[in-house]
Amino acid sequence: MAIDQTQLRALLIEAEVLSAEQFDDVASRKEVAQIGIEDALTQSGLVTEEQLGQLLSLFYDVPFVNLQNREINADLVQRIPEMFARAHALLPLEETETLMTIATSNPENLSEQSLIEKYIRKEVKWMYATPRDIRAHMFVFQKDPKAAFESILAQATLAQEMDTRVIQLVSSILDYAFQAGASDVHIEPEEHCSLIRFREDGVLHDIAELPVSFHEHLLTRLKVLARLATDEHRLAQDGKIVHKTNWGDTIEIRLSLIPTIKAEKAVMRLLSDKSHTYSLADLGLSTTDYKAVSDVVHKPWGAILVTGPTGSGKTTTLYAILRVLNQRGVNITTIEDPVEFDIEGLNQIQVNEKTGLTFASGLRSIVRQDPDIIMVGEIRDSETVDIAVNAAMTGHLVLSTIHTNDSATSFPRLQDMNVEDFLIASTVNLVIAQRLVRKNCISCLTSVTVDKTQQELIEHVPHIKKYLTELTGKKIVKSHTLFRGKGCHICHGTGFKGRIGVFEVLNVTDSIRTAIMEKKHADEIHKIAVEEGMTTMLYDGLRKMVAGQTTLEEVLRVTKE
């Protein structure tokens, strides 16, 4: 039988991981009913995934496995039916002639163990992995969707069957997109086909070419699901679809339709609560950076800024911080464009330019709503930043994003928006700069030695050799073993699956404040921060490369220091 809330409470308190008051505060949150107490604890930042996993493995008396550090065989996982594995949160790890080792979050389910043993005709050995860790690795069940699409198309021979097949086809496209972890689905009109493309890890991949005769039927089905005008083909339309997958997961989809010279094109943004409930510990912050962020987020006033280009995960970081702060005793209000995810306990406002609800006007109203914490989706202009800075000065904690290249450049950017130096120095507590790097595919991970091209990069790109020597303890870096994905059907031959952040966390210390007041250049502020212990995005990226999470080329692609 799985551990209950009372047992988990006693276990964590006895291990002195947290206090009774801390546990009870998390347990009282409304989101616990939706995501479970274990996920709520890790999202709160009070317990790390590793801590929780180690303690529960001791409770169940089975070995603990961190799937982040484990190569998973994509062929082996197919030995268990995907629907069963998803329903029971199982992931096969190893197999011998007589034994299969399986990661589970419920090792005491004897009936489940018996069912699997009968199915595979082998003994089952459990290892404990947290539910979140198992869910994050369900992509290894990913299959080639072309065969499924072709099977549906082959049956669409009669006109009266067309509607049924189109319904199945749309559902199948969305299911496979979710399975692959795609953020967007494109249905594009080509001269001889309807092209289906998935955006995975920021890169578009061609998935299938469907007969051009199906294109209009597909878009009509999407319009019906989104309750849009099916007879309108000349204007752009936007809608919303809620889709339930074959595995019971609910996806919220934003649909955008535009007319092209060939036909209408559809783009769908997939938003899944389960796949985006990142905690602060999930982001990939180093121990030092995690502590720096954790120390500052609990300050009752001031500003925390997250900076980086579009698509670098800034909003995800803000949501992770908000989940730490989301307690019953505080009033949190956000203004966003758009609201990506509905979080229980937050008052979230959607920007609407047509009605005059801008960041500035909305923020002005929020300040009158007795907030403790304010999140502004993006600081875009002088008016918005002026209100945000004043709110941070007058006893509110303000979180926001800003577009700059690194953490230190945020200060000149604020000065450009006419914020006084003394206001910047006295209100900004922390700046997090970040990028996203693609992670090595764990299904085809292999070790490699440093090649000639990489050696040249290490020798000639500033700071790399020094950082690697510090990280590895080796002066001859070419002897170091690196890791990369060989390429498989799961990663579309790229060698990458999933993304992780690389960070630069600048804590605004007294010396940084003095430098701001003295109008010192961003480079000088950056130098001071490094001298005081800040690690650069390049250093953090190289640390993840040494750990086998990504490659040197990928780190340089996003940092370009």
Side-chain angles (χ1 to χ4, degrees):
M1 185 175 177
I3 190 169
D4 62 30
Q5 191 163 302
T6 303
Q7 292 172 311
L8 182 59
R9 181 180 186 272
L11 184 68
L12 291 168
I13 293 170
E14 185 181 349
E16 299 183 349
V17 174
L18 43 70
S19 66
E21 293 76 15
Q22 288 174 317
F23 184 95
D24 293 340
D25 175 67
V26 175
S28 67
R29 300 181 189 180
K30 289 183 179 179
E31 63 184 15
V32 171
Q34 296 176 313
I35 65 175
I37 185 63
E38 293 175 29
D39 280 3
L41 285 166
T42 54
Q43 286 182 21
S44 71
L46 295 171
V47 182
T48 67
E49 196 89 10
E50 187 86 12
Q51 283 177 312
L52 192 62
Q54 293 281 8
L55 282 171
L56 288 174
S57 70
L58 290 172
F59 175 84
Y60 290 121
D61 194 26
V62 296
F64 170 69
V65 59
N66 184 341
L67 299 175
Q68 301 288 341
N69 305 324
R70 184 88 179 215
E71 183 177 351
I72 299 175
N73 188 317
D75 294 326
L76 174 60
V77 298
Q78 306 300 331
R79 296 269 284 113
I80 303 290
E82 180 180 1
M83 193 168 290
F84 185 86
R86 283 183 180 272
H88 299 280
L90 305 171
L91 208 57
L93 298 176
E94 295 174 359
E95 186 177 34
T96 66
E97 289 186 5
T98 59
L99 180 73
M100 181 181 284
T101 303
I102 301 177
T104 179
S105 56
N106 187 11
E108 294 195 346
N109 192 328
L110 298 179
S111 60
E112 187 178 285
Q113 184 175 4
S114 178
L115 275 172
I116 298 172
E117 287 178 339
K118 287 179 181 177
Y119 182 80
I120 64 173
R121 299 181 182 277
K122 292 183 180 183
E123 183 186 349
V124 166
K125 175 188 173 184
W126 292 132
M127 293 188 78
Y128 181 82
T130 64
R132 286 166 61 82
D133 203 9
I134 293 174
R135 281 202 306 271
H137 289 81
M138 279 293 165
F139 66 80
V140 294
F141 282 98
Q142 182 180 331
K143 301 179 183 70
D144 186 352
K146 292 179 185 177
F149 298 161
E150 288 170 2
S151 175
I152 295 170
L153 292 171
Q155 300 174 56
T157 53
L158 302 176
Q160 59 265 35
E161 292 180 348
M162 179 64 84
D163 287 347
T164 302
R165 300 309 169 203
V166 168
I167 290 170
Q168 292 177 344
L169 199 53
V170 168
S171 180
S172 185
I173 289 169
L174 296 177
D175 281 353
Y176 276 101
F178 171 80
Q179 185 191 48
S183 61
D184 301 86
V185 176
H186 291 233
I187 303 179
E188 303 177 1
E190 299 288 340
E191 189 173 349
H192 302 295
C193 69
S194 180
L195 181 62
I196 310 298
R197 310 175 82 193
F198 292 171
R199 186 177 293 280
E200 300 175 40
D201 305 327
V203 179
L204 272 172
H205 299 280
D206 292 357
I207 300 300
E209 294 182 359
L210 305 182
V212 70
S213 58
F214 270 79
H215 187 80
E216 188 174 339
H217 293 286
L218 290 173
L219 267 61
T220 299
R221 173 60 181 164
L222 293 174
K223 289 177 183 178
V224 170
L225 291 173
R227 299 182 180 181
L228 301 176
T230 57
D231 58 348
E232 179 57 72
H233 306 285
R234 298 169 299 173
L235 297 176
Q237 296 190 77
D238 296 311
K240 178 180 173 182
I241 299 171
V242 177
H243 174 72
K244 194 159 190 176
T245 70
N246 278 334
W247 310 289
D249 295 285
T250 300
I251 317 170
E252 188 175 296
I253 299 163
R254 291 205 306 264
L255 171 67
S256 173
L257 296 164
I258 58 168
T260 72
I261 58 172
K262 294 186 181 77
E264 287 179 284
K265 174 188 173 181
V267 175
M268 291 174 280
R269 168 61 59 88
L270 276 59
L271 305 171
S272 167
D273 286 339
K274 281 190 178 180
S275 61
H276 288 81
T277 52
Y278 292 108
S279 71
L280 200 56
D282 292 330
L283 300 179
L285 290 162
S286 68
T287 304
T288 305
D289 288 345
Y290 181 85
K291 185 179 185 306
V293 175
S294 299
D295 289 346
V296 171
V297 297
H298 293 291
K299 288 187 177 181
W301 61 272
I304 297 173
L305 301 178
V306 183
T307 182
T310 301
S312 59
K314 299 188 298 296
T315 303
T316 299
T317 298
L318 286 181
Y319 278 0
I321 293 172
L322 286 175
R323 286 191 175 95
V324 174
L325 300 170
N326 187 13
Q327 301 174 11
R328 299 303 299 169
V330 296
N331 175 16
I332 303 176
T333 306
T334 77
I335 181 161
E336 307 169 61
D337 184 22
V339 174
E340 293 282 355
F341 300 103
D342 183 8
I343 301 177
E344 190 74 38
L346 269 58
N347 306 292
Q348 295 172 274
I349 301 169
Q350 170 79 52
V351 166
N352 189 338
E353 300 281 353
K354 294 178 182 177
T355 62
L357 181 56
T358 62
F359 277 116
S361 63
L363 184 53
R364 194 177 291 109
S365 299
I366 288 171
V367 174
R368 295 194 289 269
Q369 287 279 311
D370 185 33
D372 296 292
I373 299 164
I374 301 168
M375 193 269 266
V376 185
E378 183 183 345
I379 289 178
R380 296 178 178 172
D381 52 55
S382 298
E383 187 179 6
T384 305
V385 74
D386 184 55
I387 302 167
V389 166
N390 277 284
M393 274 188 64
T394 54
H396 305 91
L397 180 61
V398 177
L399 313 176
S400 190
T401 69
I402 189 170
H403 284 277
T404 61
N405 289 329
D406 58 25
S407 54
T409 316
S410 301
F411 305 117
R413 176 71 181 125
L414 292 173
Q415 290 166 342
D416 290 342
M417 289 191 279
N418 301 317
V419 183
E420 296 287 347
D421 298 331
F422 76 91
L423 289 176
I424 298 172
S426 58
T427 57
V428 179
N429 292 330
L430 189 80
V431 183
I432 305 170
Q434 66 180 76
R435 301 287 190 276
L436 290 176
V437 294
R438 292 179 294 170
K439 293 169 67 178
N440 288 326
C441 177
I442 60 173
S443 296
C444 58
L445 191 67
T446 186
S447 60
V448 294
T449 54
V450 176
D451 62 27
K452 186 177 179 180
T453 303
Q454 292 170 329
Q455 186 63 34
E456 288 180 0
L457 288 171
I458 291 169
E459 292 290 343
H460 296 105
V461 176
H463 308 302
I464 291 186
K465 190 170 184 178
K466 182 183 79 171
Y467 289 166
L468 283 179
T469 302
E470 185 179 328
L471 285 164
T472 64
K474 297 179 180 179
K475 291 185 178 180
I476 306 174
V477 179
K478 63 182 178 182
S479 66
H480 191 76
T481 300
L482 303 180
F483 297 88
R484 65 169 62 245
K486 292 181 292 187
C488 62
H489 75 280
I490 286 178
C491 61
H492 302 287
T494 63
F496 298 104
K497 187 66 181 178
R499 289 187 289 181
I500 191 170
V502 293
F503 298 92
E504 180 178 278
V505 178
L506 191 156
N507 200 346
V508 182
T509 60
D510 290 340
S511 54
I512 299 288
R513 290 190 175 92
T514 301
I516 294 168
M517 294 287 288
E518 294 174 354
K519 293 185 180 295
K520 287 193 174 178
H521 193 270
D523 289 343
E524 295 177 86
I525 295 175
H526 187 271
K527 184 180 178 182
I528 294 169
V530 170
E531 288 171 352
E532 292 185 336
M534 183 186 80
T535 55
T536 65
M537 283 183 283
L538 176 61
Y539 187 94
D540 192 43
L542 293 173
R543 175 163 44 202
K544 290 175 169 67
M545 180 203 76
V546 169
Q549 294 178 296
T550 190
T551 65
L552 176 61
E553 293 81 1
E554 187 67 10
V555 171
L556 293 178
R557 180 182 68 84
V558 300
T559 57
K560 294 177 182 175
E561 192 169 297

